[in-house]
Coordinates of all heavy atoms in Angstrom, one line a residue:
V126 N 93.8 84.7 126.4 CA 93.6 85.3 127.7 C 94.0 86.8 127.7 O 93.2 87.7 128.2 CB 94.4 84.6 128.8 CG1 94.4 85.4 130.1 CG2 93.8 83.2 129.0
I127 N 95.1 87.1 127.1 CA 95.6 88.5 127.2 C 94.7 89.4 126.4 O 94.3 90.5 126.9 CB 97.0 88.7 126.6 CG1 98.0 87.8 127.5 CG2 97.5 90.1 126.6 CD1 99.4 87.8 126.9
T128 N 94.3 89.0 125.2 CA 93.4 89.9 124.5 C 92.0 90.0 125.1 O 91.4 91.1 125.1 CB 93.3 89.4 123.0 OG1 93.0 87.9 123.1 CG2 94.5 89.6 122.2
S129 N 91.5 88.9 125.7 CA 90.2 89.0 126.3 C 90.2 89.9 127.5 O 89.2 90.6 127.8 CB 89.8 87.6 126.8 OG 89.6 86.7 125.8
Q130 N 91.3 90.1 128.2 CA 91.4 91.0 129.3 C 91.2 92.5 128.9 O 90.9 93.3 129.8 CB 92.7 90.8 130.1 CG 92.7 89.4 130.8 CD 94.1 89.2 131.5 OE1 94.1 89.2 132.7 NE2 95.1 89.2 130.7
M131 N 91.4 92.7 127.7 CA 91.2 94.1 127.2 C 89.8 94.6 127.2 O 89.5 95.8 127.1 CB 91.8 94.3 125.8 CG 93.3 94.0 125.7 SD 94.2 95.1 126.8 CE 95.9 94.4 126.6
G132 N 88.8 93.7 127.5 CA 87.5 94.1 127.7 C 87.1 94.4 129.1 O 86.0 94.7 129.4
M133 N 88.1 94.3 130.0 CA 87.8 94.5 131.4 C 88.1 95.9 131.8 O 88.8 96.6 131.1 CB 88.7 93.5 132.2 CG 88.6 92.1 131.8 SD 86.9 91.4 132.2 CE 87.1 91.3 134.0
S134 N 87.6 96.3 133.0 CA 87.8 97.7 133.5 C 89.3 98.0 133.8 O 89.7 99.1 133.8 CB 86.9 97.9 134.7 OG 87.3 97.0 135.7
D135 N 90.1 96.9 134.1 CA 91.5 97.1 134.5 C 92.4 96.8 133.3 O 93.5 96.3 133.5 CB 91.8 96.3 135.7 CG 91.3 94.9 135.7 OD1 90.8 94.5 134.6 OD2 91.5 94.2 136.7
W136 N 91.9 97.0 132.1 CA 92.7 96.7 130.9 C 94.0 97.4 130.9 O 95.0 96.9 130.3 CB 91.9 97.0 129.7 CG 91.6 98.5 129.5 CD1 90.5 99.2 130.0 CD2 92.4 99.5 128.9 NE1 90.7 100.5 129.7 CE2 91.8 100.7 129.0 CE3 93.6 99.4 128.2 CZ2 92.3 101.9 128.5 CZ3 94.2 100.5 127.6 CH2 93.5 101.8 127.8
E137 N 94.2 98.6 131.4 CA 95.4 99.3 131.3 C 96.6 98.6 132.0 O 97.7 98.6 131.6 CB 95.3 100.7 131.9 CG 94.5 101.6 131.0 CD 94.6 103.1 131.4 OE1 95.7 103.6 131.2 OE2 93.6 103.7 131.9
A138 N 96.3 97.9 133.1 CA 97.3 97.1 133.8 C 97.8 96.0 132.9 O 99.0 95.6 132.9 CB 96.8 96.6 135.1
V139 N 96.8 95.4 132.1 CA 97.2 94.3 131.2 C 98.0 94.8 130.1 O 99.1 94.2 129.7 CB 95.9 93.7 130.7 CG1 96.2 92.5 129.7 CG2 95.0 93.2 131.8
A140 N 97.7 96.0 129.5 CA 98.4 96.6 128.4 C 99.8 96.9 128.9 O 100.8 96.7 128.1 CB 97.7 97.8 127.9
E141 N 100.0 97.4 130.1 CA 101.3 97.8 130.6 C 102.2 96.6 130.8 O 103.4 96.6 130.5 CB 101.1 98.5 131.9 CG 102.4 98.8 132.6 CD 103.3 99.9 131.9 OE1 102.7 100.7 131.1 OE2 104.5 99.9 132.1
R142 N 101.6 95.5 131.2 CA 102.5 94.3 131.5 C 102.5 93.2 130.5 O 103.4 92.4 130.5 CB 101.9 93.8 132.9 CG 102.1 94.8 134.0 CD 101.4 94.3 135.3 NE 102.1 93.1 135.8 CZ 101.8 92.5 137.0 NH1 100.7 93.0 137.7 NH2 102.4 91.5 137.5
Q143 N 101.5 93.2 129.6 CA 101.5 92.1 128.7 C 101.4 92.4 127.2 O 101.2 91.6 126.3 CB 100.3 91.2 129.0 CG 100.4 90.5 130.4 CD 99.3 89.5 130.7 OE1 98.1 89.9 130.6 NE2 99.7 88.3 131.0
V144 N 101.7 93.7 126.9 CA 101.8 94.2 125.5 C 103.1 94.8 125.4 O 103.5 95.7 126.2 CB 100.7 95.1 125.1 CG1 100.9 95.6 123.6 CG2 99.3 94.5 125.3
L145 N 103.9 94.4 124.4 CA 105.3 95.0 124.2 C 105.2 96.5 123.9 O 104.3 97.0 123.2 CB 106.0 94.3 123.1 CG 106.4 92.8 123.4 CD1 107.0 92.2 122.1 CD2 107.4 92.8 124.5
P146 N 106.1 97.3 124.6 CA 106.0 98.7 124.4 C 106.4 99.2 123.1 O 107.1 98.5 122.3 CB 106.9 99.2 125.5 CG 107.9 98.1 125.7 CD 107.1 96.9 125.5
G147 N 106.1 100.5 122.8 CA 106.4 101.1 121.5 C 105.2 101.9 121.0 O 104.2 102.0 121.7
K148 N 105.3 102.6 119.9 CA 104.3 103.4 119.4 C 103.0 102.7 119.2 O 101.9 103.2 119.4 CB 104.7 104.2 118.1 CG 105.7 105.3 118.4 CD 106.0 106.1 117.1 CE 107.0 107.2 117.4 NZ 106.4 108.2 118.4
P149 N 103.0 101.5 118.6 CA 101.7 100.7 118.4 C 101.0 100.5 119.7 O 99.7 100.7 119.8 CB 102.1 99.4 117.8 CG 103.4 99.8 117.1 CD 104.1 100.7 118.0
R150 N 101.7 100.2 120.8 CA 101.0 100.1 122.1 C 100.4 101.4 122.6 O 99.3 101.5 123.1 CB 101.9 99.5 123.2 CG 101.2 99.2 124.5 CD 102.1 98.6 125.6 NE 102.9 99.6 126.2 CZ 103.7 99.4 127.3 NH1 103.8 98.1 127.7 NH2 104.4 100.3 127.8
E151 N 101.2 102.5 122.4 CA 100.7 103.8 122.7 C 99.4 104.2 122.0 O 98.5 104.8 122.5 CB 101.8 104.9 122.4 CG 103.0 104.7 123.3 CD 104.1 105.6 122.9 OE1 103.9 106.5 122.0 OE2 105.2 105.5 123.5
M152 N 99.4 103.8 120.7 CA 98.2 104.0 119.9 C 97.0 103.2 120.4 O 95.9 103.8 120.5 CB 98.4 103.6 118.4 CG 99.4 104.5 117.7 SD 99.8 103.9 116.0 CE 98.2 103.9 115.3
F153 N 97.2 102.0 120.7 CA 96.1 101.1 121.3 C 95.6 101.8 122.6 O 94.4 101.9 122.7 CB 96.6 99.7 121.5 CG 95.6 98.9 122.3 CD1 94.6 98.3 121.7 CD2 95.8 98.7 123.7 CE1 93.6 97.6 122.4 CE2 94.9 98.0 124.4 CZ 93.8 97.4 123.7
V154 N 96.5 102.1 123.5 CA 96.0 102.7 124.8 C 95.3 104.0 124.5 O 94.2 104.2 125.2 CB 97.3 102.9 125.7 CG1 96.9 103.7 126.9 CG2 97.9 101.6 126.1
F155 N 95.8 104.8 123.7 CA 95.1 106.1 123.4 C 93.7 105.9 122.9 O 92.7 106.5 123.4 CB 95.9 106.9 122.4 CG 95.2 108.2 121.9 CD1 95.3 109.3 122.7 CD2 94.5 108.2 120.7 CE1 94.7 110.5 122.3 CE2 93.9 109.4 120.3 CZ 94.0 110.5 121.1
K156 N 93.5 105.0 121.9 CA 92.2 104.7 121.4 C 91.3 104.0 122.4 O 90.1 104.3 122.5 CB 92.3 103.9 120.1 CG 93.1 104.6 119.0 CD 93.3 103.6 117.8 CE 94.2 104.2 116.7 NZ 94.5 103.3 115.6
R157 N 91.9 103.0 123.1 CA 91.1 102.3 124.0 C 90.5 103.2 125.1 O 89.4 102.9 125.6 CB 91.9 101.2 124.7 CG 91.2 100.3 125.7 CD 90.0 99.6 125.1 NE 89.4 98.7 126.1 CZ 88.4 99.2 127.0 NH1 88.0 100.4 126.9 NH2 87.9 98.3 127.8
R158 N 91.2 104.2 125.5 CA 90.7 105.1 126.5 C 89.5 105.9 126.1 O 88.8 106.4 127.0 CB 91.8 106.1 126.9 CG 92.9 105.5 127.8 CD 94.0 106.4 128.1 NE 95.0 105.9 129.0 CZ 96.2 106.3 129.1 NH1 96.6 107.4 128.4 NH2 97.1 105.7 129.9
T159 N 89.2 105.9 124.8 CA 88.0 106.6 124.3 C 86.7 105.8 124.5 O 85.6 106.3 124.3 CB 88.1 107.0 122.9 OG1 88.1 105.8 122.1 CG2 89.4 107.8 122.6
I160 N 86.9 104.6 124.9 CA 85.7 103.7 125.1 C 85.3 103.6 126.5 O 86.1 103.3 127.4 CB 86.0 102.3 124.5 CG1 86.4 102.3 123.1 CG2 84.8 101.3 124.8 CD1 86.9 101.0 122.5
E161 N 84.1 104.0 126.8 CA 83.6 104.0 128.2 C 83.0 102.6 128.5 O 82.3 101.9 127.7 CB 82.5 105.0 128.3 CG 83.0 106.5 128.1 CD 83.9 106.9 129.2 OE1 83.9 106.4 130.3 OE2 84.7 107.8 128.9
G162 N 83.2 102.2 129.8 CA 82.5 101.0 130.3 C 83.2 99.8 129.8 O 84.1 99.7 129.0
A163 N 82.7 98.7 130.4 CA 83.2 97.3 130.0 C 82.0 96.4 130.3 O 81.2 96.6 131.1 CB 84.4 96.9 130.9
P164 N 81.9 95.3 129.5 CA 80.8 94.3 129.6 C 81.0 93.6 130.9 O 82.1 93.3 131.4 CB 81.0 93.4 128.4 CG 82.5 93.5 128.1 CD 82.9 94.9 128.4
S165 N 79.9 93.2 131.5 CA 80.0 92.4 132.8 C 79.6 91.0 132.5 O 79.2 90.6 131.4 CB 79.0 93.0 133.8 OG 77.7 92.8 133.4
E166 N 79.7 90.1 133.5 CA 79.3 88.7 133.4 C 77.8 88.6 133.2 O 77.4 87.5 132.7 CB 79.8 88.0 134.7 CG 81.3 87.9 134.8 CD 81.7 87.0 136.0 OE1 80.8 86.3 136.5 OE2 82.8 87.0 136.4
T167 N 77.1 89.6 133.5 CA 75.6 89.5 133.3 C 75.2 90.1 132.0 O 74.0 90.2 131.7 CB 74.9 90.3 134.4 OG1 75.3 91.7 134.4 CG2 75.2 89.7 135.8
A168 N 76.1 90.5 131.1 CA 75.8 91.0 129.8 C 75.1 89.9 129.0 O 75.2 88.7 129.3 CB 77.0 91.5 129.0
D169 N 74.5 90.3 127.9 CA 73.7 89.3 127.1 C 74.7 88.3 126.5 O 75.3 88.6 125.5 CB 73.0 90.1 126.0 CG 72.1 89.1 125.1 OD1 72.1 87.9 125.4 OD2 71.6 89.6 124.1
Q170 N 74.8 87.1 127.1 CA 75.8 86.1 126.6 C 75.4 85.5 125.3 O 76.3 85.1 124.5 CB 75.9 85.0 127.7 CG 76.3 85.5 129.1 CD 77.6 86.2 129.1 OE1 78.5 85.8 128.4 NE2 77.7 87.2 129.9
T171 N 74.2 85.5 124.9 CA 73.8 84.9 123.6 C 74.2 85.7 122.5 O 74.3 85.2 121.3 CB 72.2 84.8 123.6 OG1 71.6 86.0 123.7 CG2 71.8 83.9 124.7
S172 N 74.5 87.0 122.7 CA 75.0 87.9 121.6 C 76.5 88.0 121.4 O 77.0 88.6 120.5 CB 74.4 89.3 121.7 OG 74.9 89.9 122.9
V173 N 77.2 87.4 122.4 CA 78.7 87.5 122.3 C 79.2 86.2 121.7 O 78.9 85.1 122.1 CB 79.2 87.7 123.7 CG1 80.7 87.7 123.7 CG2 78.7 88.9 124.4
A174 N 80.1 86.3 120.7 CA 80.6 85.2 120.0 C 81.5 84.4 121.0 O 81.9 84.9 122.0 CB 81.4 85.6 118.8
S175 N 81.8 83.2 120.7 CA 82.6 82.3 121.5 C 83.8 81.8 120.8 O 83.8 81.6 119.6 CB 81.8 81.2 122.1 OG 81.3 80.4 121.0
Y176 N 84.9 81.5 121.5 CA 86.1 80.8 121.0 C 85.7 79.4 120.7 O 85.3 78.7 121.6 CB 87.2 80.9 122.0 CG 87.7 82.3 122.3 CD1 87.6 82.8 123.6 CD2 88.4 83.0 121.3 CE1 88.1 84.1 123.8 CE2 88.8 84.3 121.6 CZ 88.7 84.8 122.9 OH 89.2 86.1 123.1
V177 N 86.0 78.9 119.5 CA 85.8 77.5 119.1 C 87.0 76.8 118.6 O 86.9 75.6 118.5 CB 84.6 77.5 118.1 CG1 83.3 77.9 118.7 CG2 85.0 78.2 116.8
G178 N 88.1 77.5 118.3 CA 89.2 76.8 117.8 C 90.4 77.7 117.6 O 90.4 78.9 117.9

Side-chain angles (χ1 to χ4, degrees):
V126 170
I127 297 174
T128 48
S129 294
Q130 292 177 114
M131 295 305 174
M133 307 293 288
S134 60
D135 47 6
W136 64 271
E137 287 195 69
V139 180
E141 174 68 24
R142 298 173 67 177
Q143 293 185 307
V144 179
L145 290 173
K148 287 188 178 298
R150 187 179 78 176
E151 294 173 6
M152 291 173 61
F153 170 78
V154 170
F155 174 80
K156 297 174 187 178
R157 178 63 179 86
R158 284 174 178 164
T159 67
I160 300 174
E161 297 292 337
S165 68
E166 294 186 13
T167 59
D169 182 6
Q170 303 300 322
T171 61
S172 64
V173 178
S175 58
Y176 295 114
V177 293

